[in-house]
Amino acid sequence: MYVVVSPAGPEGYALSFLDDSGEEEQQGEVVADDELGEAVEAIELESPRWVWHDTATTYPRMLIAGVRVERCHDLRLTRALLRSSSLTASTGLAMSPPGRWDEAITSTGPAAARQPSGNELSFTDGSGSDDDDSGAAGSGAAGSGAAGSAQLTVDEFRLQLETVRAATEPNRLRLLIAAESAGALIAAEMTHAGLPWREDVHDSLLTELLGPRVAAGLRPARLEQLATIIQHELGSPGLNTDSPAEVLRALRAAGLTVETTRSWELQALEHPVIEPLLEYKKLSRLLSANGWSWMEAWVSDGRFSPEYVPGGVVSGRWVTRGGGALQLPKQVRRAVTADEGWKLVVADAAQLEPRILAGVSGDLIMARAGQGTDLYAGIVASGAVENRAQAKVAMLGAMYGATTGESGRLLPRLARAFPAALAFVEDAARAGERGEIVTSRLGRSSPRPGEDWWEAQAAAREGAGSERDRQHARQQARDWGRFTRNFVVQASAADWALCWMADLRRRLSYLGAAALRTAAPGTAALETAALETTAFGTTAESGRALEPFRSVPHLVFFLHDEVIVHAPEFQAEAVAEALRAAATSATTLLFGGFPLTVPLDVSIVDSYADAV
């Protein structure tokens, strides 16, 4: 059963009930905004799939009410997939002009996902009449008000179902849509639950590294000390060490040949100023990215709650709106600390992208090299390279198109050892150079180059313009080829990660429910279920909703191939097993019986800094 949720203006939400084929059974039941959570909780007992415009703006309302749902279909994310996938290229949806359903839904500020902004897609004007003409073709008049909005939403959902059925490989797309929509649920839940964060520990770390906190606009003691050393070593007393342009001029004036002030370039130089300058850059970055001001803006009630954006990159990778959750430096990871009576279970998929390359290319030799061991060690054992460092450099070169240096030297050897894998990425690169799209394992496709790219390529083929223009066009083609070369691997790895997390979320839900069902008075499970004073802050008056995660293991962090689960201590080992089982399940979903393994490095720790 599908339940379609449509905004109905001040009336609340319209709920439409459809059978598994998308045929309507009941339409237009309106639920007041403050009653949505209760209504969803009752209907969830029937295990429906919820259908709504955008998970990021609808689902937080339910979480605030303490209600979780098992599964959904996110119309916005799905339309984006169906519009661009090579598997749906000949469908009416893919070929139709952009409409309101294609508009991105945005929200602002660090609290947006906790306090819904009410900016869902609207399909009615001020009078309640339909003013949108981009819904399903041939759907007829939709009516007005709540009924009109509900009909347009149902029509879009049916159009998406029809598009999937018409796809060249519908089962691949069904799995991708389910995984992408599950990822949206996980993103909203992680924002709601937050990553456990000890503000006192963070403050101590900053004070230890930078010195005591000072007023905004002033440098902490350590940065001031380093700035003085840098000015002295460069013979420039008035140098503004926060200005790359001034520092670059001072370095050149000191006789150093440099093009930029990037750390990798400075590290190649020998001069007394280099060490303090590198330290200054590192600490200055820490202060601006994760300093005291950052903590005040993004951490509250013992939780860091960024707003995750699933599919924020064309390859399917996530981004965040502010907070920098995907770039937490090692200096502050000590502050990521489990609540009392809880643990952090940290899991990292070992060498995920090279393993995924073995799977998508069907390279049996490479897959076997990574079975039950470090893939890079397996590459060394194959005789392709001499050591692990060379194996890593060669694989990165293969996936990112390196043609010079150590990578370029090792690539021919790698190609001889693993011909199917190297031919796969080479084919993807050539396709990109021709302006063609490439597609991930489950059906996410790369964008096409822009109009300027095509014009430059056409001019170069016709011999128009100068030799410099033609060289530039050839470089553009090679650059796009490097993009598509990497896309097929990175996007397929994103497919795998979504399936991993979706299956893990289901397993964690079962673990939490089973613990509460089987707990008897006095058992550890029942005691942990009552940890209302330690999970999500010290008191119920903290302002953070304790439900629905106060007593069950739940995801709190995701970064491409790494996740963190916050779990009651007595369930930590079971969570570690769930992580491994979910990884195996995801690999089977994507690659069937192909002998590919994706081992995990799993740590059960009190602090993120202690994870392997």
Side-chain angles (χ1 to χ4, degrees):
M1 178 178 70
Y2 296 106
V3 183
V4 183
V5 182
S6 310
E11 300 173 74
Y13 288 84
L15 305 183
S16 303
F17 298 82
L18 282 64
D19 63 22
D20 289 344
S21 66
E23 293 300 315
E24 190 171 358
E25 296 182 346
Q26 178 184 343
Q27 178 185 358
E29 177 184 337
V30 177
V31 176
D33 186 73
D34 59 357
E35 297 175 355
L36 180 62
E38 183 179 349
V40 168
E41 186 173 28
I43 299 169
E44 181 67 14
L45 296 174
E46 301 179 48
S47 297
R49 188 181 296 276
W50 297 90
V51 180
W52 45 54
H53 301 109
D54 181 58
T55 304
T57 54
T58 304
Y59 190 38
R61 285 175 163 80
M62 302 167 194
L63 292 171
I64 288 171
V67 177
R68 296 177 73 190
V69 303
E70 182 181 352
R71 53 191 186 154
C72 80
H73 178 106
D74 188 302
L75 291 168
R76 179 179 65 85
L77 291 174
T78 300
R79 173 167 271 251
L81 293 172
L82 297 179
R83 267 238 181 248
S84 61
S85 178
S86 63
L87 307 183
T88 59
S90 61
T91 64
L93 188 154
M95 294 187 290
S96 64
R100 189 170 304 181
W101 279 102
D102 299 294
E103 296 175 4
I105 302 171
T106 59
S107 55
T108 58
R114 295 197 301 276
Q115 299 296 328
S117 58
N119 63 346
E120 297 94 335
L121 282 172
S122 173
F123 295 97
T124 57
D125 61 21
S127 65
S129 63
D130 172 32
D131 68 346
D132 181 84
D133 60 0
S134 62
S139 63
S144 63
S149 178
Q151 186 60 54
L152 284 166
T153 307
V154 169
D155 287 346
E156 170 63 19
F157 178 51
R158 286 175 174 158
L159 176 62
Q160 293 187 8
L161 291 180
E162 178 186 327
T163 302
V164 172
R165 285 193 290 266
T168 54
E169 296 186 62
N171 287 338
R172 285 171 65 185
L173 276 177
R174 289 189 182 102
L175 182 53
L176 177 61
I177 290 166
E180 186 91 331
S181 296
L185 292 175
I186 292 166
E189 289 173 354
M190 291 199 303
T191 295
H192 179 81
L195 181 65
W197 199 280
R198 287 278 301 275
E199 294 167 76
D200 58 333
V201 173
H202 190 174
D203 177 71
S204 295
L205 289 169
L206 293 175
T207 301
E208 178 184 345
L209 292 168
L210 299 168
R213 184 176 186 178
V214 295
L218 299 178
R219 293 193 187 102
R222 180 55 181 163
L223 283 178
E224 190 63 44
Q225 180 185 28
L226 288 168
T228 301
I229 295 172
I230 293 166
Q231 291 165 353
H232 172 75
E233 293 295 347
L234 292 177
S236 182
L239 174 66
N240 178 5
T241 48
D242 293 316
S243 169
E246 286 193 33
V247 171
L248 184 61
R249 284 195 295 270
L251 288 169
R252 288 172 175 172
L256 295 171
T257 303
V258 286
E259 297 297 324
T260 71
T261 59
R262 294 190 178 96
S263 295
W264 65 266
E265 187 172 352
L266 295 176
Q267 288 167 355
L269 303 175
E270 290 188 13
H271 189 280
V273 77
I274 299 303
E275 185 176 344
L277 182 55
L278 288 173
E279 184 181 353
Y280 184 92
K281 285 168 62 67
K282 182 178 180 180
L283 294 180
S284 180
R285 168 64 182 166
L286 172 64
L287 178 63
S288 62
N290 298 101
W292 289 281
S293 296
W294 175 90
M295 184 165 56
E296 284 184 352
W298 291 97
V299 180
S300 63
D301 301 322
R303 290 296 185 274
F304 168 40
S305 300
E307 185 180 356
Y308 295 92
V309 183
V313 179
V314 293
S315 66
R317 280 191 167 187
W318 290 18
V319 298
T320 58
R321 289 194 182 99
L326 305 185
Q327 295 177 337
L328 290 180
K330 291 183 178 180
Q331 298 116 303
V332 300
R333 291 184 181 181
R334 179 66 57 190
V336 182
T337 302
D339 292 332
E340 183 181 349
W342 292 62
K343 291 286 186 181
L344 299 178
V345 188
V346 184
D348 182 9
Q351 302 117 23
L352 178 61
E353 290 192 358
R355 292 176 188 276
I356 293 298
L357 172 56
V360 295
S361 65
D363 195 315
L364 191 59
I365 303 172
M366 182 179 287
R368 286 174 175 162
Q371 281 189 321
T373 184
D374 177 352
L375 174 61
Y376 296 138
I379 292 174
V380 173
S382 74
V385 295
E386 283 78 35
N387 54 58
R388 191 181 185 280
Q390 287 184 345
K392 186 172 183 179
V393 167
M395 280 305 308
L396 290 175
M399 293 186 294
Y400 287 89
T403 58
T404 60
E406 183 75 347
S407 292
R409 184 181 70 83
L410 294 171
L411 275 180
R413 298 169 62 179
L414 201 66
R416 287 193 295 271
F418 309 109
L422 273 292
F424 182 82
V425 288
E426 283 296 327
D427 288 346
R430 300 293 86 77
E433 290 173 5
R434 295 189 296 269
E436 299 169 5
I437 65 174
V438 295
T439 300
S440 75
R441 184 68 173 182
L442 294 184
R444 191 189 308 269
S445 293
S446 63
R448 293 186 184 277
E451 197 65 34
D452 291 347
W453 188 94
W454 287 105
E455 290 176 359
Q457 300 308 309
R461 284 195 300 271
E462 294 168 3
S466 66
E467 178 58 27
R468 182 176 180 181
D469 292 336
R470 291 191 289 274
Q471 287 179 351
H472 180 64
R474 288 192 290 270
Q475 183 60 52
Q476 283 183 310
R478 287 192 294 270
D479 289 344
W480 200 261
R482 277 192 289 271
F483 162 68
T484 52
R485 171 195 291 270
N486 184 243
F487 182 94
V488 289
V489 180
Q490 189 178 106
S492 297
D495 292 349
W496 182 93
L498 283 170
C499 292
W500 178 37
M501 285 203 299
D503 190 68
L504 173 63
R505 177 178 180 265
R506 179 181 60 84
R507 293 173 189 272
L508 294 179
S509 179
Y510 289 161
L511 279 176
L516 294 177
R517 262 197 324 269
T518 59
T523 66
L526 191 62
E527 291 167 6
T528 304
L531 285 177
E532 298 182 15
T533 57
T534 56
F536 305 108
T538 57
T539 68
E541 287 74 37
S542 66
R544 174 177 290 278
L546 298 179
E547 297 291 359
F549 302 107
R550 65 177 174 180
S551 58
V552 297
H554 53 279
L555 279 154
V556 291
F557 183 74
F558 167 56
L559 174 61
H560 307 324
D561 56 6
E562 181 180 10
V563 299
I564 301 177
V565 176
H566 195 214
E569 185 171 2
F570 79 98
Q571 287 187 305
E573 291 290 349
V575 168
E577 268 313 302
L579 280 157
R580 296 186 181 96
T584 300
S585 174
T587 305
T588 302
L589 272 174
L590 265 68
F591 303 109
F594 186 74
L596 183 71
T597 58
V598 182
L600 303 182
D601 295 321
V602 181
S603 302
I604 299 174
V605 294
D606 293 314
S607 170
Y608 187 20
D610 296 328
V612 176

